[in-house]
Amino acid sequence: MQDGVLVVDKPAGPTSFDVVARVKRALGVRKAGHTGTLDPLATGVLAICIGEAVKLQQYVTEGDKGYEALVAFGAATTTADAEGEVTERGDPTRLDAAAVRAALPRFLGEIEQVPPMFSAVRVGGRRLHQAARAGEEVERPARRVRIDALELLELAAPEQGLVKARIAVRCGKGTYVRAIASDLGAALGIPAHLAALRRTAAGPFTLAEAVPLDEVERLASTDPAALAARLLPTAEALRGWPAVRLDARAALDLSRGKALPLADLPAGLCRALDGDGRLLAVCDGRAGLLQPVRVLRLVR
């Protein structure tokens, strides 16, 4: 199996690390890593870097995310999602779509968000979920996150004491959609939690190109060629980044760590491609020089 990116449609249940382990077994590869954790109950886009593409994990992880969140008004939980125990109830029957839409704009832009206790954030060298499972409440500082869009897609009729709203979210790295759900409930005066979450996009990758995990495992045993065809080239990991195409001599020099004086360079991080369009390195364009930041392969 060649290097590249496999976009998996994660099912509910396994952790993101479980998915990576299953993909490694299915593909028979040693190096693989995901590009942004999804909680066990969450589903959707989980881009997995394979082989040399692992060197690009950090850049893909930094990309923006898209979600469809199902927010349940009428109950708050210990985890702010459906896994937790109910801690508070309230009557959501008078909630209407206009009220939800009116509350959403206050969460847009760069905001301060307190991470949920059941999260992997470290405070004092200890992960918050470890403290939470020990019955401890830890004071945790708010973190600055960016939320670009919130759109109410549907508001269902009351059922079993809950009113569920389906909300589309576009946000930056590190945003907790569970926190949006509980904070939205607080803003509306009704306890709320995240009932379900589906990631629709991660960086440049979308559900349209995602392969269900069970399909990955089935193809690995029945049609490896078909599975290999779903593996995106390593260069696709940075799809949308500005690119500089190099001739053979420049590619040779850059692969050995040499900065190249070039005209019309893009400012900041960019892709360096060889003459065949293959990704050679992550570079930084500054002061007329193409500086290699992460070289993926040595040109001989």
Side-chain angles (χ1 to χ4, degrees), residues 99-271:
V100 176
R101 289 193 179 98
L104 292 177
R106 73 185 68 183
F107 299 101
L108 295 176
E110 290 194 356
I111 66 170
E112 297 290 322
Q113 188 181 71
V114 177
M117 273 302 301
F118 281 85
S119 67
V121 173
R122 289 185 183 273
V123 175
R126 189 183 185 193
R127 294 198 185 276
L128 286 175
H129 63 73
Q130 294 173 328
R133 291 189 176 93
E136 302 172 21
E137 181 75 20
V138 177
E139 184 175 349
R140 56 232 189 249
R143 306 194 310 174
R144 199 151 189 83
V145 299
R146 192 190 80 249
I147 302 174
D148 297 319
L150 293 168
E151 179 186 359
L152 177 65
L153 302 176
E154 180 185 10
L155 187 68
E159 184 178 359
Q160 296 181 338
L162 299 174
V163 170
K164 294 180 180 179
R166 191 163 58 91
I167 298 173
V169 183
R170 287 206 321 272
C171 59
K173 174 191 174 185
T175 303
Y176 281 95
V177 183
R178 281 181 289 153
I180 296 175
S182 59
D183 291 347
L184 179 60
L188 291 165
I190 305 170
H193 66 276
L194 184 66
L197 184 67
R198 182 156 178 76
R199 187 150 69 192
T200 56
F205 306 113
T206 67
L207 279 172
E209 54 201 334
V211 186
L213 180 59
D214 58 357
E215 181 73 357
V216 171
E217 294 173 322
R218 185 187 70 79
L219 289 175
S221 60
T222 63
D223 194 350
L227 180 56
R230 302 300 299 269
L231 190 68
L232 301 174
T234 300
E236 290 292 289
L238 304 181
R239 183 194 305 162
W241 281 36
V244 177
R245 192 178 289 265
L246 304 175
D247 60 28
R249 181 64 203 181
L252 178 67
D253 289 343
L254 186 78
S255 77
R256 285 160 171 73
K258 183 178 179 181
L260 306 177
L262 295 176
D264 301 322
L265 277 178
L269 292 176
C270 60
R271 297 175 293 161

Side-chain angles (χ1 to χ4, degrees), residues 23-106:
V23 167
K24 287 169 71 175
R25 284 196 299 270
L27 272 58
V29 297
R30 295 179 60 188
K31 291 196 301 182
H34 68 74
T35 57
T37 302
L38 278 175
D39 288 340
L41 285 185
T43 68
V45 174
L46 188 67
I48 299 178
C49 293
I50 308 295
E52 288 302 296
V54 168
K55 295 177 180 177
L56 302 175
Q57 271 182 274
Q58 67 185 93
Y59 304 107
V60 184
T61 302
E62 293 290 332
D64 293 345
K65 308 294 189 294
Y67 298 95
E68 279 195 9
L70 190 64
V71 180
F73 295 94
T77 72
T78 53
T79 59
D81 65 14
E83 283 193 303
E85 298 177 1
V86 173
T87 58
E88 182 183 4
R89 292 194 180 275
D91 182 8
T93 55
R94 295 185 181 180
L95 184 65
D96 60 23
V100 176
R101 289 193 179 98
L104 292 177
R106 73 185 68 183

